[in-house]
Amino acid sequence: MVTLEPENKVRKILITDCADAKGLIAKITGVCFAHQLNIIKNTEFVDRIQGRFFMRTVLEGVFDDASLLKALSEVLPAQNHTKLVAADKKRIVVMVTKEAHCLGDLLMKAYYGGLDVDIAAVVGNYDSLRNLTEKFDIPFHHVCHQGLDRLEHEQAILKIVNGYQPDYVVLAKYMRVLTPEFVCAYPDRIINIHHSFLPAFIGASPYKQAWERGVKIIGATAHFVNDCLDEGPIIKQDVISVDHTFSAEEMAHNGRDVEKSVLSKALQLVLNEQVIVYGNKTVVF
Amino acid sequence: MVTLEPENKVRKILITDCADAKGLIAKITGVCFAHQLNIIKNTEFVDRIQGRFFMRTVLEGVFDDASLLKALSEVLPAQNHTKLVAADKKRIVVMVTKEAHCLGDLLMKAYYGGLDVDIAAVVGNYDSLRNLTEKFDIPFHHVCHQGLDRLEHEQAILKIVNGYQPDYVVLAKYMRVLTPEFVCAYPDRIINIHHSFLPAFIGASPYKQAWERGVKIIGATAHFVNDCLDEGPIIKQDVISVDHTFSAEEMAHNGRDVEKSVLSKALQLVLNEQVIVYGNKTVVF
Amino acid sequence: MVTLEPENKVRKILITDCADAKGLIAKITGVCFAHQLNIIKNTEFVDRIQGRFFMRTVLEGVFDDASLLKALSEVLPAQNHTKLVAADKKRIVVMVTKEAHCLGDLLMKAYYGGLDVDIAAVVGNYDSLRNLTEKFDIPFHHVCHQGLDRLEHEQAILKIVNGYQPDYVVLAKYMRVLTPEFVCAYPDRIINIHHSFLPAFIGASPYKQAWERGVKIIGATAHFVNDCLDEGPIIKQDVISVDHTFSAEEMAHNGRDVEKSVLSKALQLVLNEQVIVYGNKTVVF
Amino acid sequence: MVTLEPENKVRKILITDCADAKGLIAKITGVCFAHQLNIIKNTEFVDRIQGRFFMRTVLEGVFDDASLLKALSEVLPAQNHTKLVAADKKRIVVMVTKEAHCLGDLLMKAYYGGLDVDIAAVVGNYDSLRNLTEKFDIPFHHVCHQGLDRLEHEQAILKIVNGYQPDYVVLAKYMRVLTPEFVCAYPDRIINIHHSFLPAFIGASPYKQAWERGVKIIGATAHFVNDCLDEGPIIKQDVISVDHTFSAEEMAHNGRDVEKSVLSKALQLVLNEQVIVYGNKTVVF
């Protein structure tokens, strides 16, 4: 009999997403126990209206993935969406336009601690943020949209992005709308930061819209991108107070800190496999 | 020469709202000083885009209103909106439907401290909150909307409200839309609490809308009522965090504390003459 | 064989608190499943430093308590603290001094929705809040502290409190320090609201202390009472912003809303069996 | 007579700090008006307990500083502290130890927008942040504390700092206590970020202290440094929520965003001449 060496121990995250049924927690954790895996953290949620069961289980031990997944499939309802993911560093590509604050925060955190992520490359439709990106020894690709139609521009970007095989694409104030063709290439894997508390102020110039409406709070929303502009599943939102003395520009200026903080927290949740998309919503464990 | 007796000293609030011009603060405060009035607190704001000047001056002393206003009119631009208001307790009528939390908070604060206001009466389109209102020895009027068309129902309410000559009408979860006829009777004097962070989730069932959209924050907005539903000038807004585990009912349940807190704070600002409406916005000093 | 009638179905909450061990979630949920109990919600936490396991399991079904607890004791480590509690309405006694806002909020929520609790009685060391309490048809007991030494006064209160056999005692701005004798009578069952963000501003006049220190936030802390003043396990805390214009009195005035909100949320967590005390801390599920 | 050319127009900020007296606003704004200066923004505050008047006036026009200050001295009470400051970019030196997040945020904002400041140099008692600093072409000075006594070390730092003639010194997680000698060199001009909501958790390891106490919020405080550790005048504070699942390290990790945000906002207020120190408090306009 082989003795398990401690150095073989790893952490993996088991995500279960299936129809609700009796005894699911007992059955799933029972399988894990039978595989001598230790549960580090377990969180579950049942959507009783739709009869759907979600669970995130952080496991530690020596894994035989095929055996574990087979055993799980025998106790779970049919058509379950089970996945077992290594708790490893993920790779992202960041897309930007001209604003530096979100990109700068991601670079700082990837480089000096705060986000356990590998930023493989930055793609910009302007060249403005090349200098910032290259300070951190990360490749910057300028794909100018001028003279190209939308599809050509996106194909040029996609070619670069695909080359890095990223786990996620992060839109860090990328100010152009993506076509369904682009979105389809990374379903539930493109994360956007929108500078308003959605669903208010969808589309262009949300701070100008906010100023015109005379609101007393402004905010930011991180969401997955789907086919409808600013209507994808929301991951994280936050707001700050403003008053009548703020111009639209001052709202934008003051909103930057909340934008970068919301994007970075949402990305951390996604990287940790804490976010499950279902329908147009998210379960955030 | 008459010696001013300290007991004649009172506090009044001077609100100036006029076209911007050079030296306005010097001129206005100079007039106040010449009238031997002490400035307790002074706050000003200039909207540079529209060239508009706003100032709120809390004055203490012995007032000759006519003389002060005449002197001010001589230094201010034409067509100014100047008003001098005694810092006295104001009278309100509260309109409700079935939910008790906002009304209860207003009653508690009017009775036990927290809001310096005289609640003259409560009007409900249901009879449910009679018992709560009468605990505090305040008259409750049930004006049932059944069997009446909208205009008849509002006329019946207006007749009661007018009888109390209130300074403001407070809609403390009054769940019916008011017609322009009603609103015109109390221009910029009807305060509503809407249970969402406007402009998101206008209209009916905002918590259900919020649940369907999968937002991660919910909120409340206190605003003056104008002709367009939920589109009047915003006075105060606040939000709380929610997550995927909240049903629409739990959102509503948890939203109550923020609704009552936002309404009560907005009302306090209005009662203190800290809110100036201009266009579809407010200046909140 | 008896068919289980749906009407026999009830909800109970299982709290497990024991030394950490492998497979605990599988074992506990396995026992529940074997007893045909449905898990409505399950939350666990492991304190890895102290090697302690905590779990809260909301169960639905037909219970044989003795059989369930026996089966659990067979799979759990020795010296576990397991309890099975009916998800029923709990009974509290509220203790007050002169301030109305926390008591008023509890009364409103118990009466009109917001807290599922039975307020059995209110005890005050002043008579000021009798009127408010009796509006809600709840007995008020005035136990004046004058002319009594601390122990006599507390014995008089304890006699009344004990008479109601409350699940919890809530100090809703009760402004006297309790002796260890009193606290021992209700271990981990007395909830206090302190008007500062503890551990700052322990003891008397926290708003005055806050004003003197020139802080830019003030807050409130709900905690269980233990032998050391303001040092018991914290359940909930929140803050609001203040600035240089606030006097100590205005801080106190503005702090009321956050005090009552923090107390009411903490109480709701305790009533739902969401709070486990261990050492001088709480696990809040 | 010389016609004032628009290009001579500049902005200056007038700070008045004196004993309270009648008519001060009228007198000061009258002097400004007589000097043909336009008031862009005016904010005042009276501490009624100490009888002290504070005003911040943003002025625009063509300045004759000596004439203006002379005219003001004739209308103000004796022993006033009046200062007239150009609304120009200020120069700071940043002191650090090993943590990158606050420094990185200041560098990003100084370089890419968000803070209108000139970071003249960074001084570290470790060499760890040289690389980050030099990315932004800013000189980094490593002054190792090893082998030096406290005074020698500080003298070495002071020599470097003085060489840059900074308006302010910013301690961006500089983890050593400064002696009164150092503090005296920059009275009310050294800004520190402390990683707790002061006055709680003074001194070393505030996150560890917070974890041990079991608090449900953690925070950050930006303050001027005076002779007593963590007891200087507070400029800005903010908090975030934590729960029982956070280790002390996770509190520190999550506290970084609030630390950098509080420090950057406090610095912006100071740079804008919005902060007046008096006694051990601040007036923040």
Side-chain angles (χ1 to χ4, degrees), chain A residues 41 100-101 103-105 108-109 111-115 128-129 131-133 135-137 240 245 253-254 256-257 260-261 264-265 268, chain D residues 41 100-101 103-105 108-109 111-115 128-129 131-133 135-137 240 245 253-254 256-257 260-261 264-265 268:
Chain A
K41 194 170 165 59
H101 57 286
L103 174 61
D105 198 50
M108 278 295 303
K109 284 176 173 160
Y111 209 94
Y112 290 99
L115 269 178
S128 335
L129 299 175
N131 182 275
L132 171 59
T133 306
K135 281 188 204 309
F136 292 83
D137 299 318
I240 54 170
T245 67
H253 177 100
N254 281 270
R256 283 181 198 153
D257 271 9
K260 76 187 189 196
S261 159
S264 145
K265 283 175 188 154
Q268 178 161 304
Chain D
K41 195 171 165 57
H101 57 285
L103 174 61
D105 198 50
M108 278 296 303
K109 284 176 172 159
Y111 209 94
Y112 291 99
L115 270 178
S128 336
L129 299 175
N131 182 275
L132 171 60
T133 305
K135 281 188 203 310
F136 292 83
D137 299 317
I240 54 169
T245 66
H253 177 100
N254 281 270
R256 283 181 198 153
D257 270 9
K260 75 188 190 195
S261 160
S264 146
K265 282 174 189 155
Q268 178 162 304

Side-chain angles (χ1 to χ4, degrees), chain B residues 41 100-101 104-105 108-109 111-114 129 131-132 135-136 245 253 256-257 260-261 264-265 268, chain C residues 41 100-101 104-105 108-109 111-114 129 131-132 135-136 245 253 256-257 260-261 264-265 268:
Chain B
K41 194 171 167 55
H101 57 287
D105 198 50
M108 278 296 303
K109 285 176 172 161
Y111 209 94
Y112 291 100
L129 300 175
N131 183 275
L132 170 59
K135 280 186 201 313
F136 292 82
T245 66
H253 178 100
R256 283 180 198 153
D257 270 9
K260 76 187 190 196
S261 160
S264 145
K265 282 173 188 157
Q268 178 161 306
Chain C
K41 196 172 165 55
H101 57 286
D105 197 50
M108 278 295 304
K109 284 175 172 160
Y111 209 93
Y112 290 100
L129 299 175
N131 182 277
L132 171 60
K135 282 188 201 312
F136 292 83
T245 66
H253 177 100
R256 282 181 199 152
D257 270 8
K260 76 187 189 198
S261 160
S264 145
K265 283 174 187 156
Q268 177 162 304

Side-chain angles (χ1 to χ4, degrees), chain C residues 102-118:
Chain C
C102 285
L103 174 61
D105 197 50
L106 297 178
L107 290 168
M108 278 295 304
K109 284 175 172 160
Y111 209 93
Y112 290 100
L115 270 178
D116 188 37
V117 70
D118 167 23

Side-chain angles (χ1 to χ4, degrees), chain C residues 80-100:
Chain C
N80 61 76
H81 305 274
T82 304
K83 74 177 176 179
L84 185 66
V85 192
D88 286 347
K89 195 181 258 207
K90 303 288 195 307
R91 190 187 307 118
I92 63 172
V93 168
V94 181
M95 288 172 59
V96 297
T97 294
K98 287 176 174 175
E99 287 176 84

Side-chain angles (χ1 to χ4, degrees), chain C residues 222-262:
Chain C
H223 63 97
F224 287 108
V225 177
N226 66 8
D227 288 2
C228 296
L229 178 61
D230 300 333
E231 300 206 345
I234 294 172
I235 305 165
K236 179 110 195 143
Q237 302 188 281
D238 202 0
V239 302
I240 54 170
S241 293
V242 292
D243 61 38
H244 61 273
T245 66
F246 284 67
S247 64
E249 291 70 32
E250 286 165 327
M251 287 183 181
H253 177 100
N254 281 270
R256 282 181 199 152
D257 270 8
V258 73
E259 289 171 24
K260 76 187 189 198
S261 160
V262 166

Side-chain angles (χ1 to χ4, degrees), chain D residues 5-63:
Chain D
E5 295 300 320
E7 63 262 34
N8 292 325
K9 265 192 178 179
V10 294
R11 282 202 181 183
K12 296 198 179 186
I13 297 162
L14 176 69
I15 301 293
T16 312
D17 171 354
C18 63
D20 193 22
K22 271 214 168 182
L24 285 176
I25 302 177
K27 288 170 182 169
I28 298 166
T29 58
V31 166
C32 295
F33 184 55
H35 279 71
Q36 293 181 277
L37 297 168
N38 198 17
I39 294 178
I40 299 300
K41 195 171 165 57
N42 191 67
T43 334
E44 52 76 41
F45 168 65
V46 177
D47 179 336
R48 284 177 205 289
I49 291 171
Q50 304 199 17
R52 193 133 198 104
F53 174 90
F54 304 91
M55 195 159 85
R56 176 183 184 266
T57 313
V58 183
L59 295 164
E60 194 176 65
V62 181
F63 286 80

Side-chain angles (χ1 to χ4, degrees), chain D residues 42 190 198 204 247 258 283:
Chain D
N42 191 67
I190 306 176
L198 290 176
S247 65
V258 74
V283 170

